[in-house]
Amino acid sequence: MKLSAENAAWVEETWKKLQEKISAEADRVGDRIPYIPENGKYSDCSTPEKINGWTNGFWVGMMWQMYHATGDKKYLEIARGCEKKLDMALADGTKVSHDVGFMWLHSAVADYRLTGNEESKVRGLHAASLLAGRYNPDGEFIRAWNPSDRIGWVIIDCMMNVPLLYWAYDVTGDPRYKQIALHHADKCMKDLLRPDGSTYHIVAFNPNTGEKEWYPDPQGYNAESSWSRGHAWAIYGYALSYKHSGKQEYLEAAKALAHYFLANAAQTGYVPLLDFRAPAEPVYYDSTAAMCAACGMLEIAQAVPEFEKPLYENGAVNMLKATAEKFCNWKLEEDGILGGGSVAYHRGEDQIHVPIIYGDYFMLEAVLRLLDKDCFIW
Ligand code: GLY
């Protein structure tokens, strides 16, 4: 990738800071499973009440990225410890959701890809079968959540989970995994991507017929608004579905989604708002959306011809730099790197503008992608 001298220096400098900070965190946190730090300290989500949480793979993913990029075995040991703890969640398929992709792509599948560990392959295939088991054949979609009044609900975030099915297909040769992924991607394209380039977060289908019924209120401002992290999931998710399937329409979708995101992020200096269609006040940003969208744009850049690449590469770097400069906390003694993450618009101020583990994961992935040092998690 051709970065300007200034951007290349910034990326190198940021990688140095990431190594120092993540090394200090790893020594402190070990194989506890972190989410949002309180007063600069992570707690542990590997308790029976919290082990099913969708965010529980991101720290493990960071550890595998660090192991791959530095060769330091302390990261491998921590990742393996977390992977074992996640077995508690894998043991009870009634409690996990479609987010088994986020949880086990970052843990068992990364382990198998990097080390060939057979136990990890079995875990990954178990998780993929749980995801495949959520498929609704008449509706041609993957069910998102477990409550009995949400049997027909689908969310855009799931486009980041379907790569687990592409991986299972690659490993087993069983086309059902891939068929489910493709049917789901097609269904979401039809009913969650809007003609103007924006996205819905949630759609409710009739679980018996598969017909679209309504759009429930999302993590953004409202059902008709434009939640930026959901949009980022769509950009990266369709870019990944293109990578795994070669279906051109997925790449076209990812590009259009990226253009919409960049145009909106540019309105606020490349630090995206939590929702691109919300009231002007209060001003809520979401740094995690910037980092995930940046990774999606770097994936698109790999797929497009030479003269198209700069749009996505520069877009990714602009967001990465602006967002990191506004929100990063480099104090080695405090947990959490990227502040400014927002869980949801209406979930309370304590979940707005906070460091969230997936913001750190996607920031690390984006920086490593720019250095050609990343391992492929998806
Ligand atoms: N997948 C849930 C979220 O993005 O908050």
Side-chain angles (χ1 to χ4, degrees):
M1 189 169 308
K2 283 185 218 117
L3 293 178
S4 68
E6 187 193 329
N7 283 344
W10 185 87
V11 171
E12 283 293 347
E13 177 63 25
T14 305
W15 170 226
K16 250 189 235 145
K17 292 192 212 163
L18 282 169
Q19 286 180 81
E20 283 174 24
K21 176 101 186 200
I22 296 171
S23 176
E25 285 187 333
D27 292 342
R28 224 172 16 242
V29 175
D31 64 6
R32 285 187 284 138
I33 298 186
Y35 174 40
I36 293 176
E38 270 175 45
N39 303 319
K41 287 275 164 277
Y42 279 131
S43 57
D44 187 8
C45 294
S46 67
T47 60
E49 303 74 43
K50 293 191 176 159
I51 194 66
N52 304 301
W54 76 276
T55 59
N56 286 349
F58 290 106
W59 175 246
V60 199
M62 286 174 67
M63 296 298 99
W64 284 119
Q65 290 284 9
M66 290 301 291
Y67 171 63
H68 178 261
T70 67
D72 187 336
K73 286 228 164 69
K74 83 173 171 186
Y75 298 116
L76 175 143
E77 278 156 25
I78 293 172
R80 284 259 166 85
C82 295
E83 184 181 334
K84 288 215 170 63
K85 289 183 173 176
L86 286 173
D87 282 349
M88 202 196 309
L90 200 55
D92 184 355
T94 65
K95 295 211 180 75
V96 287
S97 69
H98 68 143
D99 286 323
V100 290
F102 282 117
M103 294 170 78
W104 280 281
L105 281 167
H106 285 248
S107 54
V109 174
D111 190 345
Y112 176 66
R113 280 180 164 144
L114 288 174
T115 74
N117 186 10
E118 281 294 313
E119 262 181 47
S120 302
K121 176 173 142 186
V122 172
R123 288 188 178 103
L125 289 175
H126 184 165
S129 296
L130 289 174
L131 186 57
R134 305 182 74 85
Y135 184 63
N136 180 316
D138 283 352
E140 302 191 322
F141 61 78
I142 295 170
R143 174 181 178 177
W145 296 316
N146 297 345
S148 56
D149 58 348
R150 297 178 180 189
I151 295 174
W153 287 28
V154 169
I155 69 173
I156 193 66
D157 321 31
C158 192
M159 288 305 300
M160 295 299 287
N161 287 318
V162 295
L164 181 62
L165 299 173
Y166 296 121
W167 170 80
Y169 165 68
D170 290 342
V171 167
T172 63
D174 186 334
R176 293 173 302 164
Y177 292 114
K178 188 171 178 183
Q179 288 158 1
I180 290 172
L182 296 177
H183 288 164
H184 180 81
D186 291 344
K187 185 82 171 182
C188 288
M189 189 177 294
K190 187 164 154 287
D191 290 309
L192 284 169
L193 307 195
R194 301 186 185 119
D196 71 351
S198 65
T199 52
Y200 287 104
H201 178 200
I202 311 173
V203 56
F205 296 112
N206 180 313
N208 295 303
T209 65
E211 270 165 44
K212 183 171 70 188
E213 291 189 325
W214 59 299
Y215 289 105
D217 280 340
Q219 280 171 245
Y221 178 66
N222 69 21
E224 294 302 321
S225 69
S226 180
W227 177 43
S228 61
R229 190 168 61 256
H231 197 99
W233 297 140
I235 295 170
Y236 201 1
Y238 277 99
L240 290 166
S241 267
Y242 169 72
K243 183 187 183 82
H244 288 290
S245 71
K247 276 184 75 170
Q248 192 64 26
E249 63 206 270
Y250 296 158
L251 181 59
E252 301 307 332
K255 285 167 61 177
L257 290 158
H259 303 161
Y260 174 93
F261 196 101
L262 278 175
N264 278 280
Q267 306 301 308
T268 46
Y270 290 100
V271 182
L273 295 171
L274 191 175
D275 195 311
F276 296 130
R277 283 186 196 154
E281 299 285 338
V283 178
Y284 289 152
Y285 295 101
D286 183 13
S287 60
T288 72
M291 297 303 168
C292 176
C295 290
M297 287 179 203
L298 294 174
E299 183 62 46
I300 295 171
Q302 291 187 347
V304 295
E306 187 189 345
F307 299 147
E308 281 188 52
K309 290 182 193 298
L311 175 64
Y312 305 102
E313 290 169 352
N314 294 335
V317 172
N318 285 344
M319 288 197 298
L320 181 58
K321 274 177 79 175
T323 307
E325 277 168 15
K326 187 170 174 71
F327 286 119
C328 274
N329 169 5
W330 296 114
K331 287 186 199 142
L332 296 184
E333 65 281 12
E334 290 182 12
D335 291 336
I337 304 168
L338 180 71
S342 297
V343 175
Y345 198 96
H346 297 291
R347 217 168 286 168
E349 295 279 339
D350 61 330
Q351 297 192 42
I352 301 278
H353 296 168
V354 290
I356 315 177
I357 192 67
Y358 44 85
D360 288 6
Y361 171 79
F362 284 104
M363 179 173 168
L364 175 64
E365 185 187 305
V367 167
L368 291 177
R369 273 177 172 270
L370 289 166
L371 293 166
D372 282 331
K373 285 185 196 290
D374 68 306
C375 64
F376 187 66
I377 289 274
W378 309 100

